[in-house]
Amino acid sequence: MKTQSSATASTSIAVTAPRERRGPGTALALLGVASFSLTFPATAWGLEGFGPWSLVAARCVLAALVAGGCLLALRVPLPERRHLPGLAVVGAGVVLGFPLLTTLALETSTTAHAAVVVGLLPLTTAVLSSVRMGSRHSRRFWLAALAGAAAVVVFTLTQNGGALTAADGCLFAALLVCAAGYTEGGRLARMMPGWQVIGWALVLCTPLTVPIAAVALTSEPVHPTWHGIVGLLWVALGSQFLGLIVWYRGMAVIGIPRASQLQLAQPLLTLVWSALLLGEQFTAAAPLTAVAVLVCIAVTQRS
């Protein structure tokens, strides 16, 4: 009976944190969103100097070196056996799947078009987390989430003429695996610090990423440029490690569904960075969509 009560309390914390903790948790999740919003432009920069497989494998290896160094320096014990399946999902979805699929897509797609994936990610994460955690939410929550996702999808597709490309298969597959990784990472972050979740996931993937990096760097053309190196460093350290640290911690505090809805603003931030860093252009619909998204986020946070 005591175990059941403890489990119930744990689930309650994951879904609805005390109000005094929601502020810091929301701030951490927003830092993660800001970090992720630079991922696509940084990937586009990285592709200027590296092949897609080289870029993905190198980012994973660099992030794993930093994470492994932190785990070793702080003498963090090995994760418990019961956490290994969840860490495997995080590794497959966030460390390997999403970076590889989106990088392959960005070879033929613009960053603005690829942002449709991020526009759908909050809704997908909320659905998967509800199934995985058994949580329930009000109709107003789901209507606001659907409206926000629809607004972002319509906006990003409009910017690209509403056309679907061959890269869309990679983008939608990336959406599913990333949502699964976010859900498992948010669940594990209730039992261990968020940086350890992504840290162990990165380390566990090294038996795959190190050989892939060795082969890719010797088989794909590599032309290190300033953009390429900066892009690689950002996706490795900013997006792959530091961003996920604050993101998983934020999800652990305010709950996976609430945190995922904050990502509704990520495609718009990505479009801004794409214009500033890559010179991509979009229409005046951006501020209108931004207002709609912010309203949807406010509704979900109050539901």
Side-chain angles (χ1 to χ4, degrees), residues 5-69:
S5 300
S6 300
T8 303
S10 178
T11 303
S12 176
I13 291 173
V15 175
T16 306
R19 290 187 179 274
E20 62 270 15
R21 294 178 57 195
R22 289 186 191 175
T26 300
L28 289 172
L30 285 173
L31 282 176
V33 170
S35 172
F36 300 151
S37 70
L38 277 163
T39 300
F40 287 168
T43 299
W45 272 14
L47 286 172
E48 294 181 16
F50 301 90
W53 289 89
S54 300
L55 180 62
V56 172
R59 71 181 274 183
C60 293
V61 172
L62 287 176
L65 287 174
V66 175

Side-chain angles (χ1 to χ4, degrees), residues 41-56 58 103 106-107 216-233 235 278:
T43 299
W45 272 14
L47 286 172
E48 294 181 16
F50 301 90
W53 289 89
S54 300
L55 180 62
V56 172
T103 299
L106 285 172
E107 284 195 294
L217 288 171
T218 56
S219 60
E220 289 183 333
V222 176
H223 305 288
T225 63
W226 183 81
H227 275 180
I229 293 174
V230 171
L232 171 60
L233 291 176
V235 294
L278 304 176

Side-chain angles (χ1 to χ4, degrees), residues 153-174:
V153 170
V154 169
F155 174 69
T156 50
L157 289 179
T158 300
Q159 299 307 302
N160 293 279
L164 297 177
T165 67
D168 287 322
C170 289
L171 294 174
F172 286 113

Side-chain angles (χ1 to χ4, degrees), residues 73-151:
L74 296 176
R75 298 182 179 179
V76 177
L78 293 173
E80 299 179 25
R81 186 184 297 268
R82 63 191 178 97
H83 294 154
L84 292 180
L87 289 172
V89 174
V90 174
V94 177
V95 175
L96 296 174
F98 187 79
L100 177 60
L101 291 166
T102 53
T103 299
L104 292 174
L106 285 172
E107 284 195 294
T108 57
S109 174
T110 65
T111 58
H113 184 77
V116 70
V117 174
V118 182
L120 292 175
L121 187 55
L123 179 59
T124 309
T125 304
V127 171
L128 287 182
S129 69
S130 294
V131 174
R132 179 72 175 87
M133 312 293 284
S135 56
R136 296 181 179 180
H137 303 283
S138 67
R139 181 179 299 177
R140 184 173 66 170
F141 177 95
W142 290 110
L143 288 176
L146 286 170

